[in-house]
């Protein structure tokens, strides 16, 4: 919408008015989204969570899943909507105000390069998150004094649970670090594995490759949240299945099962909503690219194949990053289990479960949306 913002500025709108307009738009969208999301979460979320837990851990968990009571709370709904509206509206206003103030000397250019301070801040965050990640891994490789105290009393389950804070910090630092370096790493990952594809002999594959590598903003915005969600889902599954599953404390085991239900469903909905939102926001840009390829001689069938190839590249790149990122975490979890004399509950294939599901969802969704865009653009070109 930068052209519209430039037009409003030319017509006399000042940064405060433009920022207020955008903040109001963000607040209205947040109000609608949070209200619909809250209402839909009440009847649907728990059954979906239970289905995933049973699918992932087995049918024997059906009787063990606690019956969480579901009732609509007007107070909780209002608090959710008000909080989301406040955060979204304020964030939209502050970001837009800063953007417009900085661009007053150049009305047609709203997207500025990052300052030296912003680049330095990002570098410091990368170093800090990498250092925190390395420290948490190192601290979890040996028997800690707290775990040793439980082992001396032969409380093996409790000894393993003392490592949960470290494991959760590892997940947090992993998500932060990947989000910071994704724009640099993802194009390299695509180039490293796509040599398996016939890029030199197929024009559609070659075009799909360059489309994914060139548009780094879309690549990062699409894959980073998906990898973060996969880290969270797989990590929580490992912790719940190998560290927290079992022990003499029945209440703790029940809390663990409830945590699994909560952590499984909510991130999955956020991930799918993110894919939908990013796809909608970039639909105009994608259609422009399709029109250009059509003028260059690509038939409708070739365009559909190209979009399917793009979906395959995006999804496979996500899958590689998700599996390689969570692999050290899984090995560490198994190491902790062996240190605390526990039996490993999950196989090594558990790290592939969630990435594989999300890989399949990505391919289907992105390919379908791309094919629909090809059809819309082709019909309009034929009409013209």
């Amino acid at each position: 919408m930068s052209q519209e913002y430039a037009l409003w500025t030319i017509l006399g709108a000042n940064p405060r008015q433009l920022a207020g307009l955008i903040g109001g738009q963000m607040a209205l969208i947040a109000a609608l989204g949070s209200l619909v999301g809250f209402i839909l979460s009440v009847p649907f979320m728990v059954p979906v969570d239970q289905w995933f837990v049973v699918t992932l851990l087995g049918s024997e968990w059906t009787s063990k899943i606690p019956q969480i009571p579901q009732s609509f709370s007007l107070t909780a709904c209002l608090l959710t909507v008000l909080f989301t509206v406040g955060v979204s509206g304020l964030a939209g206003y502050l970001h837009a105000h800063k953007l417009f103030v900085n661009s007053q000397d150049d009305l047609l250019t709203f997207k500025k390069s990052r300052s030296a301070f912003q680049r330095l801040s990002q570098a410091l965050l990368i170093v800090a998150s990498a250092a925190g990640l390395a420290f948490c891994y190192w601290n979890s490789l040996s028997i800690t004094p707290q775990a040793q105290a439980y082992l001396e009393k032969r409380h093996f389950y409790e000894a393993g649970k003392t490592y949960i804070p470290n494991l959760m910090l590892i997940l947090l630092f992993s998500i932060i670090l990947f989000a910071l370096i994704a724009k640099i790493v993802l194009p390299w990952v695509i180039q490293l594995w796509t040599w398996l594809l016939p890029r030199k002999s197929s024009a559609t594959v070659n075009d799909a490759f360059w489309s994914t590598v060139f548009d780094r903003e879309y690549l990062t915005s699409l894959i980073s949240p998906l990898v973060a969600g996969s880290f969270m889902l797989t990590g929580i599954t490992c912790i719940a299945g190998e560290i927290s599953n079992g022990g003499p404390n029945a209440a703790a085991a029940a809390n663990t099962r409830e945590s699994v239900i909560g952590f499984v469903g909510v991130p999955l909905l956020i991930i799918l909503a993110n894919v939908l939102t990013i796809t909608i926001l970039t639909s105009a840009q994608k259609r422009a690219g399709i029109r250009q390829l059509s003028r260059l001689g690509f038939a409708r069938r070739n365009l559909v194949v190209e979009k399917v190839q793009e979906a395959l590249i995006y999804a496979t790149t996500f899958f590689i990053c998700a599996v390689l990122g969570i692999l050290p975490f899984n090995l560490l979890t198994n190491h902790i289990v062996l240190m605390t004399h526990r039996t490993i509950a999950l196989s090594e294939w558990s790290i592939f479960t969630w990435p594989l599901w999300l890989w399949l969802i990505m391919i289907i969704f992105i390919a379908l949306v791309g094919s629909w865009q090809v059809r819309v653009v082709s019909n309009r070109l034929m009409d013209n």
Side-chain angles (χ1 to χ4, degrees), residues 5-309:
Y5 298 154
L7 177 60
W8 295 340
T9 305
I10 293 171
L11 294 176
N14 58 44
R16 180 178 55 81
Q17 293 171 325
L18 286 172
L21 176 62
I22 293 177
Q25 291 174 339
M26 294 291 292
L28 289 175
I29 294 173
L32 179 61
S34 58
L35 179 62
V36 173
F38 188 92
I39 294 174
L40 292 179
S41 69
V42 174
F44 296 117
M45 198 61 255
V46 170
V48 171
D49 286 335
Q50 292 178 343
W51 180 82
F52 274 112
V53 171
V54 172
T55 302
L56 185 66
L57 299 179
S59 58
E60 65 274 8
W61 274 67
T62 304
S63 60
K64 300 179 181 179
I65 296 176
Q67 297 298 318
I68 302 177
Q70 288 293 296
S71 59
F72 185 87
S73 170
L74 182 59
T75 302
C77 181
L78 291 176
L79 290 175
T80 300
V81 173
L82 290 176
F83 176 79
T84 310
V85 167
V87 171
S88 300
L90 182 62
Y93 177 85
L94 294 177
H95 181 73
H97 188 271
K98 179 181 177 181
L99 187 70
F100 292 128
V101 168
N102 293 337
S103 61
Q104 280 185 309
D105 296 332
D106 188 2
L107 298 178
L108 300 179
T109 304
F110 287 97
K111 187 175 182 180
K112 301 293 183 180
S113 60
R114 291 184 303 168
S115 64
F117 175 77
Q118 290 173 322
R119 292 193 295 268
L120 178 61
S121 299
Q122 182 176 4
L124 291 176
L125 284 175
I126 292 174
V127 173
S129 57
L133 186 63
F135 174 78
C136 290
Y137 268 111
W138 174 81
N139 192 43
S140 301
L141 290 174
S142 58
I143 300 289
T144 62
Q146 188 179 8
Q148 184 62 39
Y150 281 112
L151 290 175
E152 291 175 355
K153 300 176 183 179
R154 302 187 65 81
H155 294 167
F156 304 127
Y157 290 93
E158 301 302 322
K161 292 176 184 178
T162 60
Y163 290 91
I164 291 180
N166 265 4
L167 294 175
M168 297 299 292
L169 284 175
I170 288 174
L171 291 177
L172 176 62
F173 284 130
S174 298
I175 291 172
I176 294 174
L177 181 61
F178 185 83
L180 292 171
I181 65 175
K183 189 177 293 186
I184 302 173
V185 171
L186 289 176
W188 286 100
V189 175
I190 293 177
Q191 294 184 49
L192 286 174
W193 78 266
T194 50
W195 65 270
L196 298 170
L197 302 177
R199 285 165 41 187
K200 295 183 178 180
S201 60
S202 174
T204 55
V205 174
N206 187 58
D207 185 76
F209 165 77
W210 286 111
S211 296
T212 55
V213 172
F214 180 76
D215 194 354
R216 294 193 179 188
E217 295 292 340
Y218 177 73
L219 176 66
T220 305
S221 300
L222 178 67
I223 294 183
S224 290
L226 288 165
V227 172
S230 179
F231 281 175
M232 183 183 299
L233 291 169
T234 308
I236 294 298
T237 302
C238 290
I239 293 174
E242 298 188 17
I243 302 296
S244 300
N245 183 23
N249 191 337
N255 290 334
T256 299
R257 289 192 293 271
E258 293 179 9
S259 299
V260 171
I261 293 174
F263 277 109
V264 163
V266 176
L268 185 61
L269 285 184
I270 295 175
I271 291 168
L272 299 179
N274 176 78
V275 175
L276 176 63
T277 303
I278 296 297
T279 303
I280 292 174
L281 290 176
T282 59
S283 59
Q285 178 184 356
K286 296 296 182 182
R287 286 196 294 270
I290 294 172
R291 283 194 293 270
Q292 184 178 8
L293 291 176
S294 298
R295 295 188 181 101
L296 292 175
F298 276 69
R300 177 183 293 191
R301 181 179 62 84
N302 299 127
L303 292 172
V304 171
V305 172
E306 193 269 344
K307 290 303 174 183
V308 173
Q309 292 289 344

